[in-house]
Amino acid sequence: MFFNQKSNLIAKYLRISRDDGDKAESDSIGGQRNLIDDFIKQHDGAVSCKEYADDGYSGTNFDRPAFQHMIEDAKRKKINCIIVKDLSRLGRNYIETGKYMNEVFPLLGIRLIAVTDHYDSAEDSDDSNQIIVPFKNLINDAYCRDISIKIRSQLDTKRKNGQFIGSFPTYGYRKDEKNKNHLVVDEYAAGIVRSIFQMKKEGASQQHIADRLNGMGVLPPTEYKRSCGMNYNNGFHIGENPIWNAVTVTRILQNEVYTGTVVQGKFRKINYKVHKLQEIENEKWIRVPDMHEAIISQELFDCVQDLMERDTRTAPENENVSLFSGMLRCGDCGQNMVRRATKKKGKRYFYYHCSTYKRGEGCTSHNISEIKLKESVLESINKQIDLLIEAEALTDEIGSQPQKRIGVKTLDDQLAALHKEEERYKDLKAKLYQDMQEHVVSREEYTQISQRFTRKLSEARHSMEEVERKRKRLLSGERRKRPWIEDFKSYQNLKELDREVLATLIRSITVNGNGSITIDFRYGAEMEELLEYAIDAMDESEGKAVAK
């Protein structure tokens, strides 16, 4: 009798995973079931049969729900025989599969049968099994490793081509019905994203943005995706009634995908056996710009990132940060200026002074009243706008567009500096190798320092690629002719300051010891270039007039 009293409580174990390269129809759950059922029918004595199936679980580890359930039943003596189609269904990890076959199953009194591999542990005395079975397990392991490498390579190729390969699109987008690797705008969610960026630009903290959205009854991203029919879940789902919070808002504000850039490769599995994800350094993420419609302009995105780097804590009683929060610097020590209040004749006045001085660590007060600061900044902004409008009008009147668009020269200067940095680290690596050859540094020191130089080289090359892309877009006319001028012109004849104006036009304000201020305007290099060109063009025009 094939199945005796010691092995008549049968478990059919079925497993399939696309990650392991299982594509053949015979490997499907139904195909495995039919094959095992036919095998059992051909042999008498089976009095009980139970099925365990892991659909979509890789064989590279044994942390599979059905498999673990089967092992628990084996420990409780509910089964005493396991039948699989072949040994690869049991597992593709050479070491772990061997451990179960040689240690765990014998200890539990489990008979293992692999039908197409013609393996039966009850016939363990067969010398051929002692040689062939470990070899088959090793082949299954190597096959899985090969498939993993191929899949990873294919996915990296798609990432580098800007194809979106995520299971779920970023909030604000949906997958294109005609091309699942392309994102299209979800107008409702995109409107919420635009509101979040605008509120941040106007000075709202992330928590207050979240509170406003909750007050409006807006579904948070996870719940919105579920309401659209997606079987979506993530680690940020908290409680039965999830709401917007500061963390969710921050993730949206920092997501480059809203500028039209596909950003992928943030995490990677350690290897084909260890499925735990490890975080990848920011500079190694795969970024491909202009792959889908942007929800947020690059200018607004950059502005918001700059704001988020500042110390812009909000007072408990206020929704928004104060007007100059995070923007003021001491002209001597470079530290932040802090805001303080004082009362005079029953009225409350605000002023700023150096934080180093406040802590008693040196420097001087650099005291300046908020009223004077507002007046000075407002006057400087209006003067700057008037100057830019005059310069633009002058260049338009002359009618000769620069050979290179305004801004290209700045990018060329950046490229030149990055090229020098690249060459410097190349030279350093070459000299370091020579030092190792001459035993000036040890091999361990060489490896450690060389890795640092390689990382710096990679960062420089990545920056060069980004600048080159900006340069091409500027020359090809893909973007507005001079977007930063349009931003300034929109505030012409400004009467009052608000947080949005400052965030759009100014990077920082330095308060000098004599009470004067120095403003670092955004697009300062481009401004200088435009003004220089206007002066040169005017001189050229006057020269031609004199010659006539």
Side-chain angles (χ1 to χ4, degrees):
M1 182 178 289
F2 188 80
F3 294 106
N4 55 35
Q5 289 296 320
K6 292 184 178 180
S7 58
N8 61 3
L9 301 176
I10 298 174
K12 296 184 292 184
Y13 181 68
L14 322 170
R15 185 193 65 78
I16 188 172
S17 171
R18 298 287 180 240
D19 289 344
D20 291 350
D22 301 332
K23 297 180 181 178
E25 179 60 32
S26 61
D27 280 338
S28 68
I29 294 295
Q32 295 175 57
R33 181 184 296 115
N34 293 337
L35 185 142
I36 294 173
D37 286 344
D38 288 343
F39 177 83
I40 293 173
K41 287 177 183 178
Q42 294 172 19
H43 301 83
D44 56 356
V47 297
S48 178
C49 196
K50 190 172 182 180
E51 182 178 295
Y52 304 83
D54 282 315
D55 191 347
Y57 287 86
S58 173
T60 56
N61 69 68
F62 287 82
D63 188 20
R64 313 172 216 140
F67 182 85
Q68 291 301 325
H69 182 200
M70 181 175 68
I71 295 299
E72 288 301 316
D73 283 350
K75 292 177 181 178
R76 295 186 178 94
K77 305 302 180 183
K78 293 183 179 181
I79 60 171
N80 55 24
C81 180
I82 298 174
I83 304 178
V84 293
K85 171 183 173 285
D86 56 51
L87 293 173
S88 71
R89 298 307 95 200
L90 184 66
R92 291 186 181 275
N93 185 315
Y94 170 69
I95 295 176
E96 288 296 311
T97 302
K99 180 179 178 181
Y100 272 95
M101 291 177 64
N102 298 321
E103 298 178 25
V104 178
F105 291 158
L107 185 64
L108 296 175
I110 297 294
R111 178 183 180 184
L112 176 64
I113 298 173
V115 179
T116 59
D117 283 332
H118 306 292
Y119 173 81
D120 185 349
S121 62
E123 302 174 0
D124 205 24
S125 58
D126 188 343
D127 290 339
S128 64
N129 277 343
Q130 301 297 320
I131 300 173
I132 294 174
V133 169
F135 186 63
K136 284 184 176 179
N137 287 338
L138 187 58
I139 290 175
N140 288 332
D141 190 308
Y143 173 77
C144 193
R145 177 180 180 276
D146 184 55
I147 289 295
S148 175
I149 292 172
K150 288 179 179 177
I151 291 175
R152 179 175 288 191
S153 177
Q154 290 172 356
L155 292 178
D156 278 345
T157 298
K158 285 187 174 183
R159 292 186 184 105
K160 289 174 182 177
N161 289 334
Q163 298 181 57
F164 178 78
I165 60 173
S167 300
F168 300 97
T170 303
Y171 180 74
Y173 290 97
R174 54 185 173 81
K175 288 187 178 181
D176 191 336
E177 294 179 359
K178 298 178 182 178
N179 179 4
K180 67 178 182 179
N181 298 124
H182 180 251
L183 298 178
V184 293
V185 174
D186 176 344
E187 285 302 334
Y188 170 78
I192 302 300
V193 171
R194 294 186 188 102
S195 298
I196 289 172
F197 273 83
Q198 186 60 32
M199 283 189 279
K200 183 61 186 176
K201 186 179 178 182
E202 291 171 356
S205 68
Q206 282 90 309
Q207 186 56 56
H208 281 96
I209 292 173
D211 292 341
R212 289 187 198 178
L213 294 173
N214 290 326
M216 294 163 57
V218 178
L219 289 175
T222 298
E223 293 307 303
Y224 176 73
K225 290 177 182 180
R226 289 176 179 170
S227 73
C228 294
M230 300 182 196
N231 184 23
Y232 181 77
N233 195 11
N234 65 16
F236 298 97
H237 181 74
I238 303 173
E240 294 182 0
N241 298 306
I243 58 175
W244 286 91
N245 56 51
V247 174
T248 304
V249 172
T250 299
R251 285 178 20 241
I252 287 176
L253 291 172
Q254 292 177 335
N255 199 335
E256 295 173 67
V257 73
Y258 298 120
T259 65
T261 299
V262 173
V263 184
Q264 299 178 112
K266 296 181 179 181
F267 298 90
R268 186 180 287 270
K269 288 181 181 179
I270 294 176
N271 58 44
Y272 72 104
K273 291 183 179 180
V274 182
H275 291 189
K276 184 178 179 181
L277 295 176
Q278 60 180 169
E279 195 169 350
I280 303 301
E281 299 95 326
N282 183 290
E283 61 270 12
K284 292 184 179 179
W285 292 354
I286 299 174
R287 295 175 170 86
V288 185
D290 303 321
M291 293 308 300
H292 51 260
E293 182 182 347
I295 294 175
I296 300 300
S297 70
Q298 187 66 52
E299 291 81 15
L300 176 55
F301 183 82
D302 291 341
C303 175
V304 167
Q305 304 319 297
D306 188 34
L307 288 175
M308 292 176 69
E309 289 179 2
R310 304 171 189 268
D311 179 15
T312 54
R313 290 169 292 180
T314 309
E317 69 274 11
N318 297 329
E319 280 196 7
N320 293 357
V321 297
S322 63
L323 183 63
F324 295 103
S325 180
M327 289 191 170
L328 298 179
R329 301 284 183 271
C330 171
D332 288 332
C333 71
Q335 294 299 305
N336 290 339
M337 303 284 286
V338 293
R339 188 175 189 241
R340 291 289 181 265
T342 184
K343 279 189 176 181
K344 188 175 182 180
K345 295 182 180 180
K347 292 188 69 175
R348 200 178 187 198
Y349 297 92
F350 293 96
Y351 66 96
Y352 294 86
H353 59 73
C354 173
S355 58
T356 303
Y357 173 79
K358 171 64 178 174
R359 294 192 303 268
E361 297 175 0
C363 203
T364 56
S365 171
H366 289 71
N367 186 70
I368 186 170
S369 73
E370 191 170 72
I371 294 174
K372 179 183 177 183
L373 185 60
K374 284 181 179 179
E375 291 173 350
S376 299
V377 172
L378 183 61
E379 181 182 359
S380 296
I381 289 175
N382 280 322
K383 283 183 177 179
Q384 191 73 24
I385 293 173
D386 291 342
L387 187 60
L388 286 173
I389 290 174
E390 288 180 18
E392 185 184 40
L394 180 59
T395 57
D396 289 342
E397 282 177 16
I398 295 170
S400 58
Q401 189 70 11
Q403 291 181 354
K404 296 180 179 180
R405 291 175 182 270
I406 300 299
V408 172
K409 182 178 180 297
T410 302
L411 295 177
D412 285 340
D413 291 342
Q414 291 178 20
L415 275 175
L418 288 167
H419 274 299
K420 285 184 179 179
E421 186 175 355
E422 180 187 30
E423 291 302 318
R424 186 166 72 89
Y425 280 109
K426 282 182 179 179
D427 290 342
L428 286 172
K429 284 193 71 174
K431 291 175 182 176
L432 181 65
Y433 181 77
Q434 185 65 33
D435 286 345
M436 184 191 69
Q437 295 290 91
E438 296 175 359
H439 305 291
V440 176
V441 296
S442 67
R443 181 171 292 275
E444 290 75 16
E445 289 172 327
Y446 167 79
T447 301
Q448 184 179 7
I449 300 172
S450 179
Q451 287 176 348
R452 188 165 72 247
F453 288 164
T454 299
R455 186 170 63 252
K456 290 291 186 181
L457 263 174
S458 177
E459 291 172 359
R461 286 166 180 165
H462 175 72
S463 298
M464 286 165 62
E465 290 172 2
E466 287 293 316
V467 173
E468 192 60 55
R469 278 195 288 267
K470 289 181 182 179
R471 188 180 185 281
K472 286 179 180 178
R473 285 202 301 268
L474 202 57
L475 285 174
S476 64
E478 290 178 12
R479 304 181 71 180
R480 289 179 293 162
K481 182 180 175 183
R482 290 191 285 263
W484 53 275
I485 290 186
E486 299 304 317
D487 286 339
F488 274 81
K489 286 167 64 176
S490 66
Y491 296 109
Q492 188 176 11
N493 300 319
L494 191 65
K495 303 298 182 185
E496 187 177 352
L497 294 178
D498 59 34
R499 183 67 179 182
E500 181 180 359
V501 173
L502 296 182
T504 303
L505 305 184
I506 294 174
R507 281 198 183 91
S508 65
I509 302 169
T510 299
V511 179
N512 303 310
N514 60 4
S516 65
I517 62 170
T518 304
I519 299 179
D520 178 16
F521 284 100
R522 293 188 184 277
Y523 314 106
E526 289 89 340
M527 285 185 197
E528 185 177 345
E529 187 180 347
L530 175 62
L531 294 172
E532 286 179 0
Y533 175 75
I535 294 171
D536 291 343
M538 183 172 64
D539 290 343
E540 183 181 346
S541 177
E542 291 176 352
K544 289 180 179 178
V546 171
K548 289 180 180 180

